[in-house]
Amino acid sequence: MFFVRTASERDLEKVRVLLAETWHATYDTFYGVEKVNELTGRWHSLPALKSRLERKNAEFLVADDGRNIGGMGYAAMSDTLKKTVVLHQLYVLPKLQRQGIGRDIFAELETCFPDAERMRVEVEPQNLHALAFYRAHGFSEVGRTSDCGDASGLPALILEKPLV
Ligand SMILES: CC(C)(COP(=O)(O)OP(=O)(O)OC[C@H]1O[C@@H](n2cnc3c(N)ncnc32)[C@H](O)[C@@H]1OP(=O)(O)O)[C@@H](O)C(=O)NCCC(=O)NCCS
């Protein structure tokens, strides 16, 4: 049984491993192994994860069963968009997907930002499972970008969900 709680520094190595495994399972077919290694090495290093943990106006959550971390989620208020919280990461280990862990993490993240009027997420256009998850949770498409995240050069659909 997994429960959702705030992440701590002690969790970060497990989160790093979870992200590497889940990223390869999700994105290797779209981007290739090398690109995934490059991005996950850059975005999910321990220093990168630690700086997210320390960021203000942000929530870093994990799903924990007492021994293992089965999923993680990270959202932060946007620096540039008014009253918008950006869901930067939501990842569940492949073997634990479709058991409600993503839904539980998302439900918690949704309640953490009382000042936000909307939540935004960028999704790889070919990632149909994630798109199905977000549509089932009230998101709809508002645009596209050709550079998802931090200088990735990857395209993404931009989805939003009203929170009020
Ligand atoms: C997308 C993800 C976070 C969803 O988490 P999850 O724990 O697997 O999903 P849940 O079991 O909580 O699903 C909740 C609902 O979302 C929808 N959903 C989730 N996965 C789906 C899929 N593969 N296909 C269709 N609908 C899906 C369903 O409505 C589901 O409810 P149901 O199982 O009662 O039908 C998870 O599958 C994941 O980590 N995927 C790989 C990484 C990824 O793409 N992350 C998002 C990056 S933007």
Side-chain angles (χ1 to χ4, degrees), residues 26 90-92 97-103 127 129-130 132-133 136:
T26 308
L90 184 60
Y91 289 96
V92 175
Q97 287 172 10
R98 213 66 199 266
Q99 297 176 31
I101 294 175
R103 179 175 49 221
N127 188 352
H129 294 173
F133 175 88

Side-chain angles (χ1 to χ4, degrees), residues 22 26-27 87-94 96-104 121-124 127-134 136-137:
T22 310
T26 308
Y27 298 119
L87 177 54
H88 290 279
Q89 294 174 292
L90 184 60
Y91 289 96
V92 175
L93 272 179
L96 297 171
Q97 287 172 10
R98 213 66 199 266
Q99 297 176 31
I101 294 175
R103 179 175 49 221
D104 288 352
V121 64
E122 293 180 359
V123 184
E124 156 61 45
N127 188 352
L128 301 181
H129 294 173
L131 288 169
F133 175 88
Y134 289 120
H137 287 82

Side-chain angles (χ1 to χ4, degrees), residues 16-26 40 93-95:
R16 189 190 67 73
V17 171
L18 177 150
L19 285 170
E21 179 180 341
T22 310
W23 261 63
H24 280 294
T26 308
T40 195
L93 272 179
K95 65 176 181 232

Side-chain angles (χ1 to χ4, degrees), residues 16-81:
R16 189 190 67 73
V17 171
L18 177 150
L19 285 170
E21 179 180 341
T22 310
W23 261 63
H24 280 294
T26 308
Y27 298 119
D28 279 2
T29 50
F30 306 146
Y31 308 143
V33 179
E34 275 185 30
K35 181 74 176 173
V36 171
N37 277 336
E38 180 215 316
L39 290 174
T40 195
R42 177 147 58 98
W43 288 347
H44 310 143
S45 66
L46 287 178
L49 294 175
K50 188 158 181 270
S51 76
R52 275 169 229 176
L53 202 58
E54 290 166 353
R55 182 165 164 187
K56 288 207 175 72
N57 295 320
E59 290 292 333
F60 194 145
L61 303 179
V62 289
D64 181 350
D65 71 353
R67 287 196 304 179
N68 299 306
I69 303 290
M72 62 79 66
Y74 173 72
M77 287 301 288
S78 170
D79 293 330
T80 50
L81 302 164

Side-chain angles (χ1 to χ4, degrees), residues 81 119-125 131 139-146 155-160:
L81 302 164
M119 186 178 272
R120 170 178 278 234
V121 64
E122 293 180 359
V123 184
E124 156 61 45
L131 288 169
F139 285 81
S140 50
E141 193 178 328
V142 297
R144 283 169 183 258
T145 173
S146 55
L157 300 180
I158 301 170
L159 276 62
E160 281 188 359

